[in-house]
Amino acid sequence: MSNNALIMTDRFELSGALRAAIEEEMHHYEDPRSASIEALKMVQKEHGWVPDGAIYAVAGVLGIPASDVEGVATFYSQIFRQPVGRHIILVCDSMTCFIGGHESLIDRLGEHLGIGIGQTTSDDRFTLLPVCCLGNCDKAPAVMIDDDTFSSVTPDSLLQLLEQYP
Amino acid sequence: MSLTSLGPINSSARSEEQHPLTWRLREDGAPVWLDEYRAKNGYQAAETALKQAPDDLVNQVKEAGLKGRGGAGFPTGVKWSLMPKDESLDIRYLLCNADEMEPNTWKDRLLMEQLPHLLVEGMLISARALKAYRGYIFLRGEYVDAARHLNRAIVEAREAGLLGKNILGSGFDFELIVHTGAGRYICGEETALISSLEGRRANPRSKPPFPAAVGVWGKPTCVNNVETLCNVPSIIGNGIPWYQGLAREGSEDHGTKLMGFSGKVKNPGVWELPLGIPARELFEDYAGGMRDGYTLKAWQPGGAGTGFLLPEHLDAQMFSGGIGKVGTRMGTGLALAVDDSVSMVSLLRNMEEFFSRESCGWCTPCRDGLPWSVKILRALERGEGNPGDIETLLQLVSGLGPGKTFCAHAPGAVEPLGSAIKYFRDEFEAGVSKESGTEDVATLQMDIGA
């Protein structure tokens, strides 16, 4: 969390539809707080990432402290608290994909896109992140791009796959 | 695009009698929706269960000997019977642990993507046994197809009167909700899963109180793995003698188990096999042995948190006691072959990077100890290790072992490390720098570790 994260530096208005969706989600649980992760995911789906203002907005809808929402937002690896590219590349780095050669995938992406793990291309097209075992170990190595899972990926096939994500 | 879980099991020979979990799978790998599921005897066990008393259902699962399939292997019926007897505690929850993230585990994905109704039926029967009015499937966010299929199955079941109020006229009410996560391996630890479901950071909780007494939102709660719950319909539908006849001779555990082999084997995959099958049969007959040009150097029986074994241990039987006899745990039953091209130091470096990153940071030994192991393993991998590094790693293995940390994350992280050093110590020793004039540093590290 940056030093000024507790000062609301950006205005963020939840759209009516987003607010309604979060309120709907709250009804699935005994305690509205349970909807915090889903609410952040909904914000992220619409805006790409979760800006400071959205932390306050979600906290307001759920009726919990903004610090608690920030605690959740910074804990979970698939919630992004800084801007990311239009597409997220998740490379499985678990041991089976390690044996399958996932490090060569990361190296090739580095050469081709000029980014390492945790970085975003200068044209904001891709962000590269690691992910826990994708449960696809009989077809290692596995990569996810946005919502699509790919099996038995090679450095060459990965570069071809990227073409589907402008 | 075909489903990720489509694999050799879809075209393997299966029967209703011997493959209760997977006999309904389609060869094309498409999900089995309600009409087809019912045509294949689906929900008949639920109909039987709804006519029985909850305690009878608990007793059947207990007597059948079903053990948890998520990796820990705790007897399911015993877990169920820990729920409070006090009838006034009438808000109870059944949570399905579908946060499949254990490295080298790809079984629950198959069940949820292709047989969503089997899990819905398993949860319906289990909820009846536990008197739970609501269930949540805690599903990892990356399983987008599983989420879609489970949600559609739940809608189908609700429209058919198999979920909701007064199910099949029994007077029993049950709602089922899919809750998707946002990453972090630790969510699969059952008390961390409860914290996460409550919308908090996924830190594990102290036990006792156990979830059966104080679970989600303080209410009695039972957490079971996907595959565990999928075993329940056939136990209720086919009976205990049938269930106990499934495993191989010599197995103390009952039923079938989704087992697999990955790595550089000829035919990697997951299959439904009788518990007690020799690991060699799984490796040779199902996975086809090693690919040409590769030799088996070591293997792990069931996930990152289990210990490494040698090729000579392949004669061990795949059940908890059988793998226990050779020094580790069966875990998830999905095995990994490590071939001769893999350096154990590099492999362990990769594994400890994972465990270190995924530590929730709640307790000090895990938060500080795991990065320390990574630092040493990286140095050994570069050939820049110091004398005393292996002793420090062994101190971490014992200092982060069972009972020393808040949850089982760190013990799971050091079990493979301890076994790798035990069987492949020379590889670790080779990483100690020959020209190292850094004995002072080594002594210092040992002092810190002591």
Side-chain angles (χ1 to χ4, degrees):
Chain A
M1 208 161 87
S2 62
N3 291 333
N4 62 357
L6 291 176
I7 304 163
M8 205 194 301
T9 49
D10 56 337
R11 299 295 305 168
F12 186 91
E13 292 279 340
L14 286 176
S15 67
L18 196 50
R19 175 180 289 269
I22 295 171
E23 283 170 351
E24 163 74 21
E25 198 61 32
M26 284 160 54
H27 296 306
H28 292 169
Y29 308 97
E30 252 190 53
D31 178 356
R33 177 189 295 271
S34 284
S36 62
I37 297 165
E38 190 59 34
L40 292 167
K41 283 164 72 176
M42 287 173 176
V43 167
Q44 191 165 284
K45 193 154 193 174
E46 212 168 281
H47 298 268
W49 63 291
V50 179
D52 293 351
I55 298 288
Y56 289 89
V58 167
V61 177
L62 300 179
I64 61 175
S67 55
D68 285 8
V69 179
E70 178 70 342
V72 165
T74 53
F75 186 90
Y76 294 97
S77 51
Q78 302 308 327
I79 306 283
F80 310 133
R81 280 292 278 117
Q82 53 181 300
V84 291
R86 292 192 297 283
H87 305 288
I88 307 291
I89 306 173
L90 298 177
V91 176
C92 175
D93 65 355
S94 287
M95 57 198 191
T96 317
C97 287
F98 171 81
I99 289 177
H102 87 282
E103 288 182 338
S104 67
L105 301 180
I106 292 169
D107 290 347
R108 182 66 76 86
L109 286 174
E111 290 160 19
H112 185 73
L113 299 174
I115 52 171
I117 290 285
Q119 296 179 331
T120 300
T121 55
S122 53
D123 61 358
D124 293 328
R125 187 174 162 205
F126 292 113
T127 296
L128 175 60
L129 293 170
V131 70
C132 290
C133 182
L134 283 172
N136 198 19
C137 319
D138 53 343
K139 308 175 192 81
V143 169
M144 238 182 137
I145 306 178
D146 298 338
D147 278 351
D148 306 319
T149 303
F150 299 99
S151 304
S152 307
V153 179
T154 66
D156 289 341
S157 74
L158 181 54
L159 294 194
Q160 282 178 355
L161 288 173
L162 296 184
E163 299 306 314
Q164 300 170 30
Y165 301 87
Chain B
M1 211 162 77
S2 63
L3 286 173
T4 304
S5 57
L6 177 68
I9 191 169
N10 288 94
S11 46
S12 69
R14 282 163 284 117
S15 72
E16 184 177 355
E17 290 70 35
Q18 292 181 357
H19 303 86
L21 298 172
T22 60
W23 70 275
R24 296 181 178 96
L25 286 175
R26 296 164 57 98
E27 195 167 344
D28 64 5
V32 176
W33 299 117
L34 185 61
D35 288 343
E36 183 177 354
Y37 185 70
R38 285 191 123 167
K40 293 175 174 171
N41 306 339
Y43 289 104
Q44 283 185 7
E47 285 185 40
T48 306
L50 289 168
K51 292 175 194 139
Q52 296 182 11
D55 286 351
D56 290 345
L57 296 170
V58 173
N59 287 335
Q60 286 173 71
V61 168
K62 201 193 260 181
E63 278 173 40
L66 174 63
K67 286 186 176 177
R69 305 296 201 227
F74 190 80
T76 306
V78 175
K79 196 180 213 180
W80 285 10
S81 58
L82 294 174
M83 293 289 272
K85 305 282 175 250
D86 184 351
E87 295 285 334
S88 71
L89 298 169
D90 58 352
I91 299 178
R92 298 164 183 233
Y93 292 100
L94 170 61
L95 308 185
C96 170
N97 188 343
D99 198 57
E100 182 171 70
M101 254 185 249
E102 178 71 21
N104 206 54
T105 302
W106 68 101
K107 64 186 184 68
D108 297 339
R109 180 198 270 271
L110 169 85
L111 294 170
M112 293 187 290
E113 282 185 355
Q114 300 192 34
L115 294 166
H117 278 287
L118 180 61
L119 179 58
V120 174
E121 184 179 12
M123 288 191 75
L124 169 58
I125 300 171
S126 305
R128 167 79 173 176
L130 297 161
K131 301 174 200 163
Y133 86 106
R134 188 182 274 181
Y136 292 93
I137 300 173
F138 189 109
L139 180 67
R140 68 178 296 187
E142 295 86 351
Y143 278 10
V144 284
D145 289 323
R148 219 176 54 240
H149 296 184
L150 287 168
N151 276 312
R152 177 172 159 181
I154 288 168
V155 169
E156 283 187 331
R158 197 178 291 135
E159 285 171 356
L162 294 159
L163 287 174
K165 298 273 179 208
N166 190 22
I167 297 166
L168 301 176
S170 64
F172 178 65
D173 306 336
F174 181 60
E175 282 294 344
L176 189 50
I177 294 166
V178 176
H179 172 102
T180 59
R184 294 311 291 269
Y185 170 74
I186 197 65
C187 293
E189 198 280 342
E190 71 172 9
T191 61
L193 184 147
I194 289 171
S195 295
S196 187
L197 183 60
E198 288 182 357
R200 304 172 194 277
R201 292 165 76 92
N203 294 323
R205 297 178 177 184
S206 171
K207 292 193 275 191
F210 288 89
V214 183
V216 66
W217 304 302
K219 305 295 193 308
T221 299
C222 185
V223 187
N224 289 131
N225 164 262
V226 173
E227 187 187 349
T228 311
L229 291 163
C230 288
N231 268 272
V232 173
S234 64
I235 292 173
I236 302 303
N238 300 349
I240 296 165
W242 163 82
Y243 190 75
Q244 296 196 333
L246 286 169
R248 286 280 177 88
E249 202 174 319
S251 172
E252 292 153 14
D253 298 342
H254 297 293
T256 60
K257 174 85 192 72
L258 293 179
M259 299 184 203
F261 238 106
S262 68
K264 298 245 165 46
V265 294
K266 281 202 183 95
N267 183 30
V270 56
W271 299 271
E272 181 180 4
L273 298 171
L275 278 159
I277 188 173
R280 188 178 299 284
E281 195 175 328
L282 172 63
F283 173 68
E284 286 175 1
D285 297 356
Y286 288 87
M290 297 305 287
R291 276 191 231 164
D292 295 341
Y294 293 97
T295 310
L296 182 69
K297 169 172 165 179
W299 62 287
Q300 230 182 345
T306 58
F308 285 100
L309 295 170
L310 298 174
E312 70 206 47
H313 297 128
L314 280 172
D315 293 316
Q317 283 181 286
M318 292 291 281
F319 72 97
S320 53
I323 298 297
K325 228 184 281 177
V326 290
T328 184
R329 298 170 299 113
M330 184 177 69
T332 64
L334 291 134
L336 168 67
V338 180
D339 61 83
D340 55 340
S341 73
V342 178
S343 144
M344 292 308 282
V345 175
S346 301
L347 181 60
L348 267 295
R349 184 264 301 159
N350 166 267
M351 291 173 70
E352 299 308 336
E353 282 174 344
F354 159 79
F355 281 112
S356 170
R357 180 183 77 206
E358 297 301 328
S359 169
C360 79
W362 181 253
C363 70
T364 310
C366 179
R367 183 185 62 240
D368 287 1
L370 293 176
W372 193 2
S373 74
V374 169
K375 201 176 159 194
I376 295 172
L377 288 163
R378 282 179 179 162
L380 291 173
E381 189 181 22
R382 292 192 305 265
E384 295 169 8
N386 292 308
D389 274 358
I390 295 166
E391 287 70 23
T392 306
L393 288 176
L394 289 171
Q395 280 179 348
L396 287 168
V397 169
S398 93
L400 301 182
K404 309 274 177 56
T405 55
F406 203 74
C407 80
H409 181 82
V414 296
E415 184 162 345
L417 179 59
S419 58
I421 296 175
K422 176 178 161 193
Y423 293 124
F424 302 97
R425 192 176 176 117
D426 53 334
E427 289 190 36
F428 290 82
E429 278 168 354
V432 176
S433 171
K434 299 282 178 291
E435 65 219 65
S436 117
T438 51
E439 274 182 42
D440 293 344
V441 179
T443 313
L444 179 66
Q445 281 188 335
M446 283 169 73
D447 288 345
I448 296 167

